[in-house]
Amino acid sequence: MDPDYLLFARAVDAGSLSAAGRMLNISPAMMSKRLSRLEARLGVRLIHRTTRRLALTEEGASLHRDLVAILDAIAQAEDRVTNRHRTASGPLRISAPTSFGRLHVAPHVGRFLEQHPRVDLQLNLSDAYEDLLAERIDLAIRITSDIPAHLEGHHLAANRRILCASPAYLAAHGTPEKIADLSRHRLLAAEGQLPWRLVNGRARKLMDGQSHVRTNSSEIVRELALTGVGIALRSLWDVGDLIADGRLVRVLEPWEGPADLAVHAVHPRAAGRPAAVDTFIAFLRESFRDAPWNRGG
């Protein structure tokens, strides 16, 4: 295969010439020169260049899709021909949301490392959507409905979200009987989480408003709900145990957040990714399979 094809595919996956150049140990100037050479040979424009990002033309997007499929097929063919049994080993850098990582990833790390002692695992917790290539992150856990085109996503678990409040709050302010009653209650949400989209079968409700306490932390929202400050829309993986022991009470059942959000593992699209990435994805999927919070409504 023309090495400029591989360079083009890596540039698209990285999102910028400089990021791809760092991966391939090639200067941005040489990256640009070789991309221009490829475009001249093919007689089409593949990429609209900017100082920071790359925007694919229609022809570039089509070529990239084909190249990704070809590179994946080559990697699979090599595995079959050489009969390689890849062992999970080497560095594995993982990013996960703060609360989810603390509650549902960190508790499983010890068992994973017992099974795969040759993996050098690093777990970073952050609620920001980090640039995986720039930060050299092998795998990120994201709770989302939208996987960017330059990333490959793997569904790990459901993310059911319910309305809940503490018994103390409901005793003081009353229990909402219908969805319209929410407008008279104290709502709790982190920045960017309002308005709430709520569903009940085919019924839909957009609940707007302002959080009774403003915060940038979802963990603070949970603590505020626990201490009787208001009503929150929380994921079952976050509050399922609190519902079970009565410290929080579900309200306005069966209204929930829509089911489009789910827990995914994402990584850059690339052939020949480390075996540790696939192994950890399979490990998490198995670990979450029977979790009470991962059950359907």
Side-chain angles (χ1 to χ4, degrees):
M1 178 181 287
D2 187 328
D4 288 344
Y5 282 140
L6 179 60
L7 180 142
F8 167 70
R10 292 293 179 265
V12 174
D13 292 339
S16 73
L17 293 181
S18 58
R22 288 193 297 270
M23 294 173 59
L24 300 172
N25 197 27
I26 299 173
S27 71
M30 180 56 69
M31 292 282 297
S32 182
K33 181 178 180 179
R34 288 179 57 181
L35 281 175
S36 296
R37 181 176 67 187
L38 178 61
E39 290 175 327
R41 183 167 66 80
L42 296 176
V44 295
R45 170 77 73 175
L46 299 174
I47 291 175
H48 297 300
R49 296 160 178 77
T50 66
T51 55
R52 291 183 176 273
R53 306 298 295 177
L54 300 179
L56 286 173
T57 64
E58 183 177 348
E59 293 81 2
S62 177
L63 179 63
H64 181 255
R65 285 194 299 270
D66 291 341
L67 287 177
V68 168
I70 291 169
L71 291 169
D72 285 343
I74 290 173
Q76 293 170 18
E78 288 180 349
D79 284 343
R80 287 192 294 269
V81 168
T82 59
N83 195 28
R84 289 184 300 186
H85 298 283
R86 298 192 304 161
T87 300
S89 62
L92 178 62
R93 191 174 187 189
I94 300 167
S95 174
T98 303
S99 292
F100 189 86
R102 179 174 59 83
L103 293 171
H104 301 293
V105 178
H108 299 295
V109 164
R111 184 162 55 90
F112 176 80
L113 292 177
E114 287 179 0
Q115 297 175 13
H116 306 282
R118 296 175 60 188
V119 173
D120 178 15
L121 190 146
Q122 178 178 346
L123 176 59
N124 297 328
L125 301 186
S126 172
D127 291 325
Y129 271 23
E130 298 170 299
D131 185 326
L132 304 192
L133 289 166
E135 300 297 329
R136 298 188 178 183
I137 294 170
D138 299 301
L139 184 71
I141 311 302
R142 290 185 177 173
I143 301 172
T144 184
S145 60
D146 182 26
I147 307 297
H150 68 284
L151 298 178
E152 184 174 345
H154 305 263
H155 183 277
L156 296 179
N159 182 53
R160 288 183 60 200
R161 290 169 295 148
I162 63 168
L163 294 161
C164 57
S166 72
Y169 174 85
L170 298 177
H173 300 275
T175 300
E177 301 293 336
K178 55 185 182 296
I179 195 68
D181 293 344
L182 278 181
S183 62
R184 298 190 292 273
H185 280 267
R186 297 175 177 177
L187 309 184
L188 298 173
E191 291 177 5
Q193 293 182 348
L194 279 168
W196 292 336
R197 291 187 301 129
L198 302 171
V199 299
N200 178 3
R202 294 185 177 181
R204 300 289 185 271
K205 174 68 174 179
L206 187 68
M207 189 66 218
D208 206 352
Q210 180 173 306
S211 180
H212 190 65
V213 176
R214 287 177 291 176
T215 177
N216 65 349
S217 168
S218 289
E219 291 192 329
I220 294 298
V221 171
R222 181 182 61 245
E223 297 308 309
L224 292 171
L226 268 174
T227 53
V229 178
I231 296 175
L233 178 67
R234 305 302 302 161
S235 297
L236 274 180
W237 58 257
D238 190 33
V239 299
D241 291 346
L242 303 176
I243 297 288
D245 65 19
R247 285 187 287 168
L248 286 175
V249 177
R250 185 171 180 182
V251 298
L252 289 173
E253 190 173 354
W255 286 94
E256 296 188 0
D260 55 348
L261 288 180
V263 183
H264 293 88
V266 301
H267 56 77
R269 290 186 178 275
R273 62 181 173 265
V277 170
D278 292 330
T279 302
F280 195 72
I281 291 171
F283 173 82
L284 287 182
R285 187 178 284 128
E286 177 67 21
S287 298
F288 298 159
R289 186 183 62 183
D290 296 324
W293 51 267
N294 190 25
R295 296 171 185 167

